[in-house]
Amino acid sequence: VHVVSGVAQARELASLLPRPVGFVPTMGALHEGHLDLVRRAMNENASVVASVFVNPLQFAPTEDLSRYPRDLDGDRAKLAHLGVDMLFMPTPQTMYPAGFGTAVDVGPMGTVYEGAARPAHFRGVTTVVTKLLHVIDPDVLYLGQKDAQQTAVLRAMIRDLDMNVGTSIVPTHREPDGLAMSSRNVYLSPEQRAAAPSLHEALVTLCATLEHGSSKADAVAQARSKLSPLAQLDYLDVVDADRFEPVEQLRPPAFIIGAARFGKTRLIDNLWIEP
Ligand code: AMP
């Protein structure tokens, strides 16, 4: 794997790769969920580029930027093992030199759910992904279903701004007990780790109760009862998969979404209701 940290060097090398080029942006500390995206990209493209960049723009000052898990040697080894062609690993100074001030904002879709809990988050995501797409110029962008609202926000951005890239959404990789894999799971204490799968159980209950014909209000109440007492619920809801607006009935494509805090660690999860 060619490891590149400069923009000009990354652009040059990426432009020489055989097409189609698949691109997998990450914040590193790679786990099997990330590697599913890479494997899918390898299967579907002639070349694959991955990036590892812990993007300061998408963290609020109160969030976990400085303690976000980092494992650059491990990440490089995993990507090399899978046969990735190029790894782009810029520094914050490279991405945001003095005077940087432009932002990409998708509007209302970025202000609800995760955007309500984390006000500058999606603007940080759309801005960095725009930059990465301009540097790498891939044919297909690989995104995890785990971050459902992020998939909707980025697809809206690509459509609204006529960006010339396709998207491929990869299903969520879970631990055997149902917990969605996340770099943030390492923050959980043993008690919180044991309680964390209850978020997924709540989503499964919400789905089953709706399919049984209950109202959304009743289904949400049923689902809440599955949550561990250690979970502080932020939201449980059903949304249209493209617009991320709440819907009363399970009409595909939809996401059943949830977020809860276990101590200081905020976890999100969702079920994808496919057409
Ligand atoms: P992150 O490093 O958290 O920014 O994630 C990088 C990419 O991997 C994003 O597209 C995520 O949605 C995706 N991803 C994270 N966790 C998982 C998972 N458990 N299963 C599938 N994809 C995931």
Side-chain angles (χ1 to χ4, degrees), residues 24-37 51 53 58 68 142-148 150-151 154 170-175 179-184:
V24 184
T26 79
M27 298 206 302
L30 300 179
H31 52 60
E32 284 298 316
H34 297 118
L35 301 185
D36 282 353
L37 272 64
S51 64
F53 179 59
Q58 70 191 69
Y68 193 83
Y142 287 82
L143 300 168
Q145 179 217 322
K146 157 79 182 2
D147 298 282
Q150 175 169 279
T151 66
L154 289 173
V170 179
T172 303
H173 199 115
R174 297 180 181 282
E175 301 285 358
L179 176 64
M181 284 192 180
S182 164
S183 306
R184 289 193 166 93

Side-chain angles (χ1 to χ4, degrees), residues 2 8 43-44 57 74 92 108 126 132 157 172 181 186 193 196 200 206 212 231 252 259:
H2 291 279
N43 283 337
E44 296 178 351
L57 276 195
T126 47
L132 292 168
M157 174 188 84
T172 303
M181 284 192 180
V186 299
R193 173 65 188 80
H200 178 239
L206 179 38
H212 202 250

Side-chain angles (χ1 to χ4, degrees), residues 6-23:
V7 167
Q9 200 191 356
R11 176 172 282 136
E12 162 81 20
L13 189 55
S15 74
L16 298 173
L17 294 172
R19 291 194 176 265
V21 173
F23 176 47

Side-chain angles (χ1 to χ4, degrees), residues 87-111:
L87 168 58
F88 182 41
M89 259 182 12
T91 65
Q93 290 71 31
T94 295
M95 293 297 271
Y96 307 119
F100 181 91
T102 303
V104 179
D105 192 315
V106 289
M109 195 193 284
T111 65

